[in-house]
Amino acid sequence: STAFNAMLDRVDRAFATQRAFLDDAGHELRTPITVVRGHLELVGRDEPLPEATRELVLDELDRMGRMVDDLLTMAKAEHPDFLRTAPVDVVDLTVDVADKARPLGQRRWEVRPDAVIVADLDRQRVVQAWMNLVRNAVQHTADGDRITVFSRTDGHWVELGVADTGDGVDDADCDRIFERFGRGGSARRTHTDGAGLGLAIARAIAEAHGGRLDLAETGESGATFVLRLPLAATAGAPIVEEIAVQEEPWPAS
């Protein structure tokens, strides 16, 4: 009886997830589809497509494509084969993410690879989640602000995070920003690109690893987001034994 009830609960959650997926997809895709249709209808059947209209249509189609990819990632996160874990050197991973982050904006980039361990992780998914945190930090900072990519461990958990000195997160938005299509007040004011799925995807990837995504208390301006993942296994020596803290201001243009 207990096993049967648990199975029904899983089925019910699966249906609820599918309904939410369809509702979210329909709601968010309706706007770009309407924009594309409206601009195309303004062009006569035998008229050449104006360059401005062509660029707008391609931009909206690109946005829909990114949105569909993100929604599919969210849906796949519910599947048991979503992750493909393998031993990952966390110092090497931290430096790799920091290198990928630097071209995203003119910030004072800093890397602190303090988790000198090898952990069982899905490297591709973790990089995807971590880079979503980096993009979020870039969107909420300005030229000259500091963004720190860091890793650390307490022996039971590995924490992979991004800290910035930007505009921070309003108290009223602390829960909303982790929801699908959720946006904080500063994101709505600044009209940042994206569908509001980045943090939701990062949280789904963390939870698939048996961990979570936290908005950490910093005690100062800015925000710190941390992927907190359990150390299911560690092995071997790190590829990089010691790396000093690196801080690299963006070169002046």
Side-chain angles (χ1 to χ4, degrees):
S1 175
T2 301
F4 184 74
N5 288 336
M7 181 192 69
L8 290 179
D9 288 341
R10 290 196 298 272
V11 171
D12 186 61
R13 287 196 299 271
F15 277 118
T17 299
Q18 288 182 350
R19 286 195 298 269
F21 175 85
L22 292 174
D23 289 344
D24 290 342
H27 174 74
E28 291 298 321
L29 291 173
R30 188 175 296 116
T31 298
I33 289 173
T34 302
V35 170
V36 170
R37 176 183 291 275
H39 280 80
L40 290 179
E41 286 177 347
L42 293 175
V43 181
R45 184 177 298 273
D46 298 325
E47 296 178 16
L49 191 66
E51 184 62 26
T53 300
R54 177 179 178 276
E55 291 179 0
L56 183 143
V57 168
L58 291 175
D59 184 66
E60 289 298 308
L61 291 175
D62 286 343
R63 188 160 72 92
M64 282 191 286
R66 291 193 300 270
M67 195 182 304
V68 169
D69 288 341
D70 288 344
L71 285 168
L72 289 175
T73 299
M74 292 291 297
K76 290 177 182 177
E78 303 289 334
H79 296 177
D81 60 348
F82 177 62
L83 299 181
R84 298 181 180 179
T85 60
V88 175
D89 184 282
V90 178
V91 168
D92 177 68
L93 177 65
T94 309
V95 174
D96 181 43
V97 169
D99 288 341
K100 293 178 186 296
R102 287 189 174 96
L104 297 181
Q106 298 184 10
R107 307 293 187 266
R108 288 190 295 123
W109 293 99
E110 183 178 72
V111 55
R112 293 180 177 271
D114 297 330
V116 188
I117 57 170
V118 175
D120 241 15
L121 304 170
D122 185 322
R123 184 184 181 104
Q124 182 179 354
R125 293 297 186 188
V126 168
V127 169
Q128 180 183 10
W130 210 344
M131 288 301 294
N132 282 350
L133 302 184
V134 169
R135 293 187 187 94
N136 182 72
V138 171
Q139 288 177 347
H140 294 87
T141 52
D143 292 357
D145 282 336
R146 186 177 69 250
I147 298 178
T148 303
V149 177
F150 66 87
S151 62
R152 60 196 181 203
T153 180
D154 61 5
H156 300 286
W157 299 83
V158 61
E159 295 185 344
L160 313 174
V162 178
D164 66 65
T165 57
D167 48 29
V169 179
D170 297 336
D171 291 341
D173 295 327
C174 287
D175 293 327
R176 181 189 304 127
I177 58 175
F178 294 107
E179 299 173 356
R180 281 184 292 192
F181 305 107
R183 293 176 180 272
S186 58
R188 293 191 298 269
R189 289 192 297 270
T190 55
H191 305 289
T192 56
D193 291 334
L197 286 167
L199 293 179
I201 290 173
R203 182 177 67 174
I205 291 172
E207 291 176 348
H209 280 84
R212 65 177 188 263
L213 172 61
D214 291 335
L215 172 60
E217 293 289 340
T218 61
E220 55 185 37
S221 63
T224 300
F225 288 90
V226 181
L227 295 162
R228 195 164 190 259
L229 310 178
L231 287 174
T234 58
I239 297 172
V240 183
E241 294 183 355
E242 182 177 355
I243 293 183
V245 172
Q246 302 173 19
E247 183 172 353
E248 179 182 333
W250 193 270
S253 57

